[in-house]
Amino acid sequence: MLSSAPRPPRSSDNDVRRNDTMTQPEASVQLYTLAKEFTADMHGSLERLAAIGLRNVEAFDFVGRPAEIRAALDAAGLASPTGHAPLLSDELWTPDGSIPTPAPEVVFAAAAELGMTTLYDPFVAPERWLTEDGVADIADRLNALVDVAAGFGLSVGYHNHAQEFVASFDGQSAYERFGATTDPRVQIELDLFWALTGGQDVPALVAALGDRVTAVHVKDGIVPASNPWAPGAPAFGSDVLDQRHAGTGEVPLAAALQAGAGIRYAVIEYDKAPGDVFADVAASFAFLEDGGFVA
């Protein structure tokens, strides 16, 4: 169905508004986008996001300080209905370093304290996606957490990069195999930039996943010429990315948002903001609002 074919050209319909009869997602922003600013001034950075007009954020690296972050969110009038935390790995990899992984129950308790409803695992190491046994293990481990999370009032899901689209088994990409073997209650947060980097027809992928896609990462730019997580690829870091304001790069954001059947959150993210991070977030938020893609 969907394969790791060469990526399609950029869609020309970024000026097409989302169908008004569809349920509109809410806008959010992944706090990894402004990790330095958030670390330096938690309250001030959240207040600046609220001043842009955002009502939601997606928390990152919150497990050790949920009360502190919740207080700052409340003071700024913001909510964190979704978040990222590792559930399937001993360490969470980022392009700029690794973060140790606490027990799932500790993660769920912190997420519940922040008021989250859905927690997405943000990254599983590339080598684990290269074999059928590896993909089965990822799916099994996430399936086992569905009911545990429910005990905390939470749902669980997975957020992709591009390593999930390297291998294929009997005509199915590793990502498709993962989707087919996870509990239907496992939710999908599709990073649109990384899916395109993985060679996917992004709107078609959104449509194929249906209401499993409950959030998307709204991210644009010039995608890498080849998958940076493919075997033999050169060392990769976020500093080499050419990311741009939503609607000004290669990612068919409008078509992808329109293809979603159950997207609840359109989450702005930059792995590498091109300029002033708050201005960059504001520009992508304007794309979502002006295009009628968010409520």
Side-chain angles (χ1 to χ4, degrees):
M1 183 171 57
L2 300 173
S3 64
S4 299
R7 66 176 186 268
R10 178 188 175 188
S11 172
S12 60
D13 64 350
N14 271 346
D15 60 343
V16 178
R17 299 174 69 87
R18 185 178 169 87
N19 187 336
D20 289 340
T21 64
M22 300 176 69
T23 301
Q24 299 292 86
E26 295 183 41
S28 184
V29 59
Q30 167 54 243
L31 290 179
Y32 179 73
T33 299
L34 54 150
K36 293 179 182 178
E37 293 78 8
F38 186 76
T39 298
D41 183 0
M42 183 184 299
H43 286 268
S45 60
L46 292 177
E47 288 169 359
R48 292 187 69 176
L49 293 177
I52 289 169
L54 288 156
R55 299 189 300 271
N56 302 300
V57 301
E58 185 168 75
F60 173 83
D61 192 18
F62 62 87
V63 177
R65 47 181 180 166
E68 179 185 4
I69 295 175
R70 178 63 186 264
L73 288 170
D74 290 346
L78 295 169
S80 181
T82 66
H84 279 192
L87 300 170
L88 308 172
S89 309
D90 294 332
E91 290 186 333
L92 170 62
W93 178 94
T94 78
D96 307 302
S98 295
I99 300 169
T101 305
E105 291 81 1
V106 174
V107 177
F108 295 149
E113 187 171 352
L114 275 176
M116 288 182 197
T117 57
T118 306
L119 186 63
Y120 301 100
D121 187 297
F123 188 92
V124 172
E127 60 272 14
R128 295 173 62 189
W129 291 96
L130 296 179
T131 66
E132 293 185 81
D133 286 346
V135 175
D137 177 68
I138 295 165
D140 289 346
R141 291 177 66 173
L142 195 49
N143 288 342
L145 293 175
V146 170
D147 289 328
V148 179
F152 291 84
L154 296 163
S155 298
V156 292
Y158 183 72
H159 164 273
N160 65 287
H161 285 74
Q163 68 271 26
E164 301 88 352
F165 306 105
V166 172
S168 61
F169 318 108
D170 300 323
Q172 272 189 323
S173 70
Y175 190 74
E176 287 180 291
R177 178 66 60 85
F178 166 79
T181 54
T182 46
D183 188 307
R185 293 174 292 171
V186 170
Q187 299 182 23
I188 296 297
E189 180 175 59
L190 193 67
D191 189 303
L192 305 176
F193 177 90
W194 287 121
L196 185 61
T197 300
Q200 301 302 292
D201 179 332
V202 179
L205 180 59
V206 173
L209 291 168
D211 60 8
R212 295 283 297 274
V213 180
T214 54
V216 293
H217 269 197
V218 178
K219 183 185 301 178
D220 211 343
I222 307 304
V223 302
S226 60
N227 193 323
W229 286 287
F236 165 73
S238 57
D239 59 309
V240 304
L241 292 172
D242 181 0
Q243 292 186 339
R244 305 183 183 184
H245 298 162
T248 66
E250 297 179 331
V251 185
L253 297 178
L257 287 162
Q258 290 175 321
I263 300 171
R264 297 202 292 268
Y265 299 101
V267 185
I268 298 162
E269 186 186 40
Y270 294 92
D271 300 291
K272 180 188 177 186
D276 175 82
V277 68
F278 294 102
D280 296 335
V281 168
S284 289
F285 183 50
F287 165 82
L288 291 172
E289 283 206 310
D290 294 347
F293 299 116
V294 292

